[in-house]
C-alpha cells in the first residue's frame, strides 16, 4: 500500500506481540508483495519507518527523504546476486519523481519513496526495460513451481539447447567442417542475443559496464577473430555460471522465504459461535480465531480459556515447546502442539511478529558494513578502469612493438572477462546476508552488516542487571514496619503510589498487594524520582519510596542493620516514608537467569571482559555479581551508566546489553547496543541487535558468528582476488584463453557464494 507519514512512530524490533508497533513495514500481505496504490492508512513512509540507507553512508540524503509522502513496493523476480539489485536501483533512481529507491536482495523487494503517486507506472516500465520482472498488482499468491526433470529442463532450456547444438557441431566437424563452423556461429549469436539486448537495456538505464556488456564484447570479439568454438564455449560457461549464481542466491534467501511462509493463508474465525474460514489478511485486532494442533497462528494473539503448549522454534530458535497460560501473548507463526485453542487477535495487518522480523531484515540489508560500502564504491570505477586497461593491452603492443593484432585483441578480451568484479563485489554481501540469516534463525536479530561487523570487534560487554542478567521479575520478600505503622498500612500506601509504573519492582509490589487482598486507594501527584524512588499523595498526605543510599536522614542503628543484612543477601531495599516519618522497609529478590553464569564464562573464553551496571547498592550488587563471577559498578543513575560506557568506549570496543528505557542512552553511547527481546520498545529501537528469546548464551554465539563472518569475508576476498591475479597473468602471457577467463570469473563467483553459504550451517561452541 502507499502510505503517508502523518503521526507515525518508528517501527519496533520487538518480536513480542505485546509490543506491536504502530508503524511497521506496511504490506497487504508480507508473502505476496505487489505494486501499491494510495491508501488512508495512518503510517509513515519516511526513512524512519521504511528501510532506509545507512546513516553513516555518505550518499544518504536525509533532508530529501524527510519530504517523501508515498512509499511503493514490488517483489522483483530474476535477481541472481546483489549486483542485479544494484542495476535495478540505479535504473529506478533515474526515474523522475523518485526521492529514493532501495532494492532489498534478501526479500527480493523494491521500495521507493516519492512525492508523486503516479510514479508507480514509470517504475514498473523501468523494471521491465532493465530486463527484470515483478509481481503483478493484487496478485494473491504465486503459482506453484513445477518440479521434476521437466521443470529442470524448462528452467535450463537455453543452456541445454546451446550445449546440445555445440555437441552436435563438434560431432559433425570432421565430416562437415564448414557446416560445423556456421553452426557454432549461429549457436553463439542466438545465445548472445538476449544477453546483448539486456546489456543495451542496462546501458540505457545507467549501468553501461555490466557483466552482460563485457560478455557481449568478448563473444563478438572472439567471433571476429574466427574463434567460433571458443565464443560458443564462453557463452555456455557464462550461462552455467549465471545459473549457479541463481541457485546460490535462492539458497541464501531460503531462510527469509521460510520465514515468509510461516504465516498461513487462511484462518478459522469464530463469529457468533460459528466457525468461518477467512483469509488471514482479513483478521483484525479483537477477532477470535480457533487453531487446531499442528497448525500455525496467522497473527499475534492472546490465549483464551485454557493453557496450551506452542512450538516457537521457527521464531526464537528454542526447540522445546513453551507453555502459555490464559491471557498470555503468542506470536504469529507459532505451532499449536497439544490442543485446539482460541485466541484474540492483537496485531494489525502487516504488524505481527513475522512482519516485524522481516522488516528488520529489510532494514538491516540497507545498513551495509563499511567494507561492503567500500567495495560498492570501488566497483563503480574499477570496471571502467579495467576496460581502459584492456583497450591499452589490445592497442599498445601492435602499435608500439609491431605485434599481431589478433593475438593482443584476443588477450585483451580475456583480460576484460577476468577483470569483471562480480566475485569481489559479492564476496562481502553474500557472507553478511548468510550471517544475518544464520543469526535470525537462532533468534538473534542484527541490524545490518555494520552491526554484524562491529560485533566481531567487541572487547568488553556491559550488562544492565534487572531484566538482563536477572529475569526482571522480582518478588517481594520482606516487609518491615516501624514507628507504630503496620505491614498493611505500609503495603497499601506504597503500592498505591506505584500503580501505573512499569518498573519491575513497582509491578511486583502492586501485584503482591493485590494478592494480599489489599484495596489500593487513589494516589495523586505521582512523581518518579529518577534513580532514587517515587513520590505520591494520598488524601493530602505525601508518601515516598526511596533507596537507602539516596536518603538524607538518619534511620537508626536497628533499621541500618536490617538494610545491611537484606542487601548482603542480594536483595533490593527501599525505605517507605509518610511525609518525613519512616514507615519501614520493603525488600525484593530478583533471580539470575539460569544461563547468566554460563554466558559470562563463554564470553571470558572468547577474550571478552564483562561488567554489570546497576542502580542497586554496592552490597546487593556484590552479592549478585559474586554468583556469576562478573565485575560490577553499583549505585548508578541512568546518566552515570552513560558516562561509564562512554569512558569505557574511549578505550576499547564496548557492547551494552539492556532491556529498559533507562538503558537506551547507554546503548547509544556504546560501540554497539544489544537489547533483550522482552525489553521496552525504546531499548529495542535504540539497539543495533536484539536477542528475541532472552537466552544470554546467544550473546557469545552472536560474537562467534560475527567473527566467523569476518573470516568468511577475508576468505572470499582472497579467493576472488587470488583467482583473478593468477589468470590475469596467464592470459597476458597467452597461456590461457577466453573460456578459461569466463571459467575463472564464474568459478570465483560461485566459489565465493558457496563459501558464504557455509555460514547458514554455523554452529556455536554454545551448541555443545
Amino acid at each position: 500500500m502507499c502510505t503517508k507519514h502523518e503521526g507515525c512512530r518508528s517501527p519496533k524490533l520487538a518480536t513480542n506481540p505485546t509490543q506491536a508497533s504502530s508503524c511497521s513495514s506496511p504490506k497487504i500481505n508480507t508473502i505476496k508483495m505487489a505494486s501499491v496504490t494510495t491508501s488512508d492508512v495512518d503510517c509513515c513512509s519516511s526513512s524512519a519507518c521504511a528501510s532506509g540507507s545507512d546513516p553513516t553512508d555518505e550518499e544518504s540524503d536525509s533532508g530529501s527523504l524527510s519530504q517523501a509522502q508515498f512509499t511503493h513496493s514490488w517483489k522483483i523476480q530474476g535477481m541472481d546476486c546483489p549486483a542485479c539489485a544494484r542495476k535495478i536501483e540505479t535504473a529506478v533512481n533515474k526515474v523522475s519523481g523518485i526521492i529514493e529507491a532501495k532494492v532489498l536482495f534478501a526479500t527480493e523487494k523494491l521500495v521507493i519513496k516519492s512525492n508523486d503517486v503516479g510514479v508507480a507506472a514509470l517504475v514498473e516500465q523501468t523494471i521491465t526495460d532493465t530486463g527484470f520482472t515483478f509481481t503483478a498488482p493484487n496478485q494473491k499468491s504465486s503459482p506453484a513451481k513445477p518440479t521434476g526433470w521437466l521443470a529442470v529442463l524448462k528452467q535450463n532450456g537455453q543452456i541445454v539447447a546451446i550445449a546440445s547444438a555445440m555437441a552436435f557441431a563438434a560431432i559433425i566437424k570432421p565430416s562437415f567442417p564448414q557446416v560445423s563452423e556456421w553452426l557454432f556461429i549461429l549457436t553463439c549469436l542466438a545465445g548472445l542475443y538476449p544477453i546483448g539486448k539486456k546489456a543495451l537495456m542496462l546501458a540505457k538505464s545507467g549501468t553501461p559496464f555490466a557483466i552482460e556488456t563485457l560478455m557481449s564484447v568478448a563473444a563478438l570479439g572472439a567471433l571476429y577473430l574466427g574463434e567460433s568454438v571458443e565464443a560458443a564455449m564462453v557463452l555456455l560457461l557464462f550461462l552455467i555460471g549465471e545459473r549457479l549464481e541463481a541457485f546460490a542466491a535462492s539458497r541464501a534467501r531460503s531462510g527469509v522465504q521460510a520465514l515468509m511462509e510461516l504465516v498461513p493463508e487462511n484462518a478459522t474465525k469464530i463469529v457468533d459461535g460459528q466457525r468461518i474460514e477467512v483469509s488471514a489478511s482479513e483478521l483484525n485486532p479483537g477477532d477470535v480465531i480457533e487453531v487446531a494442533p499442528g497448525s500455525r497462528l496467522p497473527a499475534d494473539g492472546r490465549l483464551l480459556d485454557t493453557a496450551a503448549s506452542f512450538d516457537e522454534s521457527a521464531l526464537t530458535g528454542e526447540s522445546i515447546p513453551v507453555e502459555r497460560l490464559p491471557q498470555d501473548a503468542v506470536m504469529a507463526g507459532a505451532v499449536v502442539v497439544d490442543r485446539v485453542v482460541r485466541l484474540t487477535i492483537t496485531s494489525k495487518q502487516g504488524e505481527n511478529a513475522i512482519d516485524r522480523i522481516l522488516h528488520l531484515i529489510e532494514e538491516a540489508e540497507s545498513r551495509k558494513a563499511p567494507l561492503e560500502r567500500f567495495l560498492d564504491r570501488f566497483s563503480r570505477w574499477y570496471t571502467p578502469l579495467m576496460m581502459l586497461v584492456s583497450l591499452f593491452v589490445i592497442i599498445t603492443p601492435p602499435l608500439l612493438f609491431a605485434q599481431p593484432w589478433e593475438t593482443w585483441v584476443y588477450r585483451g578480451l580475456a583480460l576484460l572477462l577476468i577483470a569483471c568484479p562480480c566475485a569481489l563485489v559479492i564476496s562481502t554481501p553474500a557472507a553478511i546476508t548468510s550471517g544475518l540469516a544464520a543469526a535470525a534463525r537462532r533468534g538473534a536479530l542484527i541490524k545490518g552488516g555494520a552491526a554484524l561487523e562491529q560485533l566481531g570487534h567487541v572487547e568488553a560487554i556491559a550488562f544492565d542487571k534487572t531484566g538482563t542478567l536477572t529475569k526482571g521479575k522480582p518478588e517481594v520478600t520482606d516487609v518491615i514496619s516501624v514507628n507504630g505503622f503496620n505491614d498493611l498500612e505500609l503495603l497499601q500506601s506504597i503500592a498505591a503510589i506505584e500503580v501505573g509504573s512499569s518498573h519491575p519492582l513497582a509491578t511486583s509490589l502492586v501485584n503482591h498487594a493485590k494478592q494480599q487482598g489489599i484495596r489500593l486507594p487513589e494516589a495523586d501527584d505521582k512523581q518518579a524520582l529518577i534513580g532514587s524512588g517515587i513520590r505520591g499523595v494520598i488524601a493530602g498526605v505525601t508518601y515516598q519510596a526511596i533507596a537507602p543510599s539516596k536518603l538524607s536522614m538518619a534511620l537508626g542503628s536497628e533499621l541500618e542493620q536490617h538494610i545491611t543484612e537484606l542487601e548482603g543477601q542480594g536483595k533490593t531495599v527501599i525505605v517507605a516514608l509518610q511525609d518525613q516519618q519512616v514507615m519501614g522497609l520493603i525488600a525484593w529478590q530478583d533471580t539470575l537467569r539460569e544461563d547468566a553464569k554460563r554466558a559470562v564464562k563463554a564470553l571470558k573464553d572468547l577474550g571478552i571482559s564483562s561488567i554489570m551496571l546497576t542502580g542497586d547498592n554496592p552490597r546487593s550488587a556484590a552479592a549478585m555479581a559474586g554468583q556469576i563471577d562478573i565485575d560490577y559498578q553499583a549505585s548508578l543513575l541512568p546518566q552515570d551508566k552513560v558516562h561509564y560506557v562512554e569512558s569505557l568506549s574511549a578505550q576499547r570496543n564496548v557492547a551494552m546489553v539492556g532491556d529498559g528505557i533507562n538503558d537506551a542512552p547507554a546503548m547509544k553511547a556504546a560501540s554497539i547496543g544489544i537489547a533483550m527481546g522482552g525489553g521496552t520498545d525504546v531499548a529495542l529501537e535504540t539497539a543495533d541487535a536484539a536477542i528475541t528469546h532472552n537466552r544470554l548464551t546467544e550473546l557469545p554465539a552472536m560474537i562467534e558468528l560475527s567473527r566467523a563472518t569476518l573470516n568468511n569475508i577475508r576468505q572470499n576476498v582472497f579467493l576472488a582476488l587470488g583467482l583473478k591475479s593468477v589468470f590475469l597473468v596467464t592470459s597476458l602471457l597467452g597461456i590461457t584463453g577466453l573460456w578459461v577467463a569466463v571459467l575463472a570469473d564464474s568459478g570465483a563467483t560461485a566459489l565465493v557464494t558457496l563459501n558464504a553459504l557455509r555460514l547458514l550451517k554455523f554452529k556455536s561452541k554454545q551448541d555443545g
Side-chain angles (χ1 to χ4, degrees):
M1 63 186 72
C2 175
T3 57
K4 294 191 176 183
H5 60 278
E6 301 169 2
C8 79
R9 293 191 294 123
S10 304
K12 311 296 184 287
L13 304 184
T15 55
N16 188 328
T18 61
Q19 296 164 344
S21 93
S22 63
C23 179
S24 185
S25 180
K27 307 174 184 74
I28 297 173
N29 187 303
T30 311
I31 304 172
K32 312 148 201 161
M33 293 307 301
S35 175
V36 287
T37 53
T38 307
S39 165
D40 295 325
V41 175
D42 184 18
C43 192
C44 70
S45 63
S46 68
S47 60
C49 259
S51 299
S53 60
D54 183 1
T56 63
D57 194 339
E58 58 196 29
E59 295 175 17
S60 300
D61 188 352
S62 56
S64 297
L65 294 182
S66 64
Q67 301 170 6
Q69 287 183 301
F70 304 104
T71 296
H72 304 269
S73 56
W74 295 262
K75 184 172 181 181
I76 306 297
Q77 297 169 336
M79 292 191 296
D80 297 332
C81 66
C84 296
R86 193 166 60 248
K87 291 170 187 173
I88 300 169
E89 232 173 62
T90 302
V92 173
N93 271 314
K94 289 181 175 294
V95 175
S96 176
I98 297 292
I99 292 177
E100 187 200 35
K102 280 283 180 186
V103 178
L104 309 166
F105 178 69
T107 51
E108 300 179 280
K109 184 178 174 185
L110 164 65
V111 180
I112 68 161
K113 296 183 179 70
S114 171
N115 288 329
D116 182 2
V117 71
V119 80
L122 293 174
V123 172
E124 290 175 0
Q125 185 59 48
T126 302
I127 296 169
T128 304
D129 290 344
T130 311
F132 296 90
T133 58
F134 57 90
T135 302
N138 305 319
Q139 182 175 324
K140 291 298 179 185
S141 61
S142 301
K145 291 184 178 180
T147 57
W149 284 106
L150 288 176
V152 173
L153 288 173
K154 186 176 181 180
Q155 292 171 3
N156 302 284
Q158 189 180 17
I159 294 174
V160 172
I162 291 173
S164 301
M166 287 177 64
F168 179 71
I171 291 170
I172 66 171
K173 188 169 185 177
S175 305
F176 306 98
Q178 197 66 34
V179 175
S180 174
E181 180 73 12
W182 276 106
L183 190 54
F184 273 118
I185 293 172
L186 290 174
T187 299
C188 185
L189 290 175
L192 194 60
Y193 174 75
I195 297 173
K197 185 180 178 182
K198 189 171 183 180
L200 288 173
M201 289 179 176
L202 289 171
K204 289 178 182 177
S205 62
T207 311
F209 302 113
I211 181 60
E212 289 82 2
T213 305
L214 303 184
M215 267 303 309
S216 300
V217 171
L220 290 173
L223 287 176
Y224 170 76
L225 294 173
E227 300 289 345
S228 57
V229 176
E230 194 148 16
M233 182 62 75
V234 164
L235 180 65
L236 180 62
L237 289 173
F238 171 74
L239 293 174
I240 292 173
E242 291 279 287
R243 178 55 59 193
L244 287 174
E245 282 186 34
F247 171 73
S250 67
R251 286 289 305 275
R253 284 193 291 249
S254 60
V256 175
Q257 299 295 339
L259 194 60
M260 288 179 170
E261 291 166 5
L262 287 181
V263 179
E265 295 277 341
N266 300 309
T268 303
K269 182 178 175 181
I270 306 300
V271 180
D272 298 328
Q274 301 296 315
R275 294 175 178 81
I276 301 174
E277 195 79 8
V278 299
S279 170
S281 61
E282 297 175 16
L283 295 175
N284 295 305
D287 289 346
V288 176
I289 61 169
E290 186 175 272
V291 186
S295 298
R296 293 188 182 276
L297 270 64
D300 294 345
R302 197 169 294 281
L303 191 60
L304 299 175
D305 303 332
T306 182
S309 296
F310 293 87
D311 178 1
E312 299 179 351
S313 57
L315 290 158
T316 66
E318 180 58 68
S319 58
I320 301 172
V322 292
E323 186 80 8
R324 298 296 183 195
L325 301 176
Q327 297 308 308
D328 278 357
V330 190
M331 293 181 284
V335 179
V336 182
V337 174
D338 53 358
R339 64 186 65 188
V340 176
V341 296
R342 290 192 177 185
L343 303 98
T344 302
I345 299 300
T346 57
S347 62
K348 296 179 182 178
Q349 183 57 36
E351 295 183 9
N352 64 45
I354 304 294
D355 293 322
R356 294 195 298 278
I357 294 174
L358 286 168
H359 181 74
L360 176 62
I361 292 171
E362 292 169 355
E363 187 180 60
E365 194 178 347
S366 67
R367 295 180 173 179
K368 297 179 179 179
L371 178 58
E372 187 177 1
R373 292 198 301 273
F374 166 75
L375 289 175
D376 274 352
R377 291 192 294 269
F378 173 75
S379 66
R380 290 172 192 169
W381 58 262
Y382 169 80
T383 306
L385 178 63
M386 290 312 298
M387 290 191 79
L388 192 61
V389 170
S390 297
L391 180 62
F392 277 114
V393 167
I394 291 170
I395 66 173
T396 303
L399 291 178
L400 297 184
F401 305 105
Q403 295 287 313
W405 280 96
E406 292 81 2
T407 299
W408 289 99
V409 167
Y410 184 88
R411 293 181 184 181
L413 293 175
L415 175 62
L416 195 64
L417 289 177
I418 290 171
C420 176
C422 283
L424 185 61
V425 170
I426 202 176
S427 60
T428 300
I432 285 176
T433 300
S434 295
L436 293 174
R441 190 176 291 174
R442 300 179 64 94
L445 304 179
I446 302 172
K447 286 185 180 179
L452 184 63
E453 186 175 327
Q454 187 63 46
L455 269 171
H457 299 304
V458 166
E459 300 168 278
I461 295 185
F463 290 92
D464 172 56
K465 189 199 82 171
T466 305
T468 304
L469 288 172
T470 67
K471 293 180 178 178
K473 296 179 180 178
E475 295 180 356
V476 176
T477 56
D478 301 88
V479 177
I480 301 171
S481 52
V482 295
N483 296 332
F485 293 98
N486 59 45
D487 293 354
L488 176 63
E489 288 176 293
L490 176 58
L491 279 173
Q492 186 178 48
S493 54
I494 301 303
I497 64 174
E498 294 278 23
V499 169
S501 172
S502 60
H503 194 284
L505 297 181
T507 304
S508 172
L509 181 62
V510 171
N511 290 338
H512 180 75
K514 289 179 178 178
Q515 288 168 8
Q516 301 291 322
I518 300 172
R519 190 186 67 83
L520 301 181
E522 190 67 33
D524 302 314
D525 195 24
K526 289 185 283 190
Q527 179 184 359
L529 309 174
I530 304 299
S532 302
I534 192 167
R535 176 191 295 127
V537 177
I538 303 173
V541 180
T542 301
Y543 292 88
Q544 296 182 74
I546 304 289
S549 60
K550 308 298 179 183
L551 207 59
S552 57
M553 59 190 293
L555 294 176
S557 58
E558 187 176 350
L559 270 184
E560 291 283 5
Q561 184 178 352
H562 276 305
I563 293 171
T564 302
E565 289 175 356
L566 292 169
E567 290 180 343
Q569 296 168 17
K571 295 179 180 179
T572 301
V573 183
I574 63 99
V575 179
L577 302 175
Q578 183 190 71
D579 290 329
Q580 291 302 309
Q581 186 177 13
V582 176
M583 300 178 70
L585 307 174
I586 301 176
W588 290 262
Q589 178 84 61
D590 199 358
T591 54
L592 282 164
R593 294 185 186 275
E594 293 83 354
D595 59 349
K597 185 172 183 179
R598 192 151 55 94
V600 171
K601 184 181 183 305
L603 290 170
K604 192 173 183 179
D605 292 341
L606 291 173
I608 297 170
S609 59
S610 303
I611 187 164
M612 179 179 76
L613 308 182
T614 178
D616 276 356
N617 61 85
R619 281 189 296 268
S620 179
M624 189 71 75
Q627 297 179 48
I628 55 174
D629 190 24
I630 189 174
D631 294 332
Y632 68 92
Q633 289 287 319
S635 301
L636 298 179
L637 297 173
Q639 60 266 32
D640 297 329
K641 289 184 182 180
V642 175
H643 296 323
Y644 182 81
V645 171
E646 283 177 342
S647 63
L648 205 58
S649 296
Q651 304 167 27
R652 45 188 172 165
N653 287 313
V654 178
M656 173 69 195
V657 186
D659 77 320
I661 291 175
N662 62 335
D663 300 323
M667 285 183 188
K668 211 66 181 171
S671 308
I672 182 169
I674 303 169
M676 302 299 284
T680 64
D681 288 346
V682 174
L684 289 160
E685 282 178 5
T686 305
D688 301 293
I691 303 173
T692 63
H693 46 48
N694 292 330
R695 282 204 307 266
L696 281 173
T697 48
E698 206 54 58
L699 187 56
M702 285 169 67
I703 292 170
E704 286 181 59
L705 175 60
S706 173
R707 291 179 179 180
T709 303
L710 293 176
N711 286 334
N712 194 281
I713 291 172
R714 294 187 193 101
Q715 293 165 6
N716 284 348
V717 172
F718 178 79
L719 276 172
L721 293 179
L723 281 172
K724 287 184 182 299
S725 300
V726 170
F727 287 105
L728 185 65
V729 173
T730 58
S731 294
L732 286 175
L733 294 176
I735 299 171
T736 54
L738 285 178
W739 70 272
V740 176
V742 175
L743 191 61
D745 176 65
S746 297
T749 303
L751 281 175
V752 161
T753 308
L754 291 172
N755 186 47
L757 289 177
R758 293 191 302 115
L759 290 169
L760 293 175
K761 297 182 179 179
F762 170 77
K763 292 277 186 188
S764 163
K765 293 176 183 176
Q766 313 311 309
D767 299 333

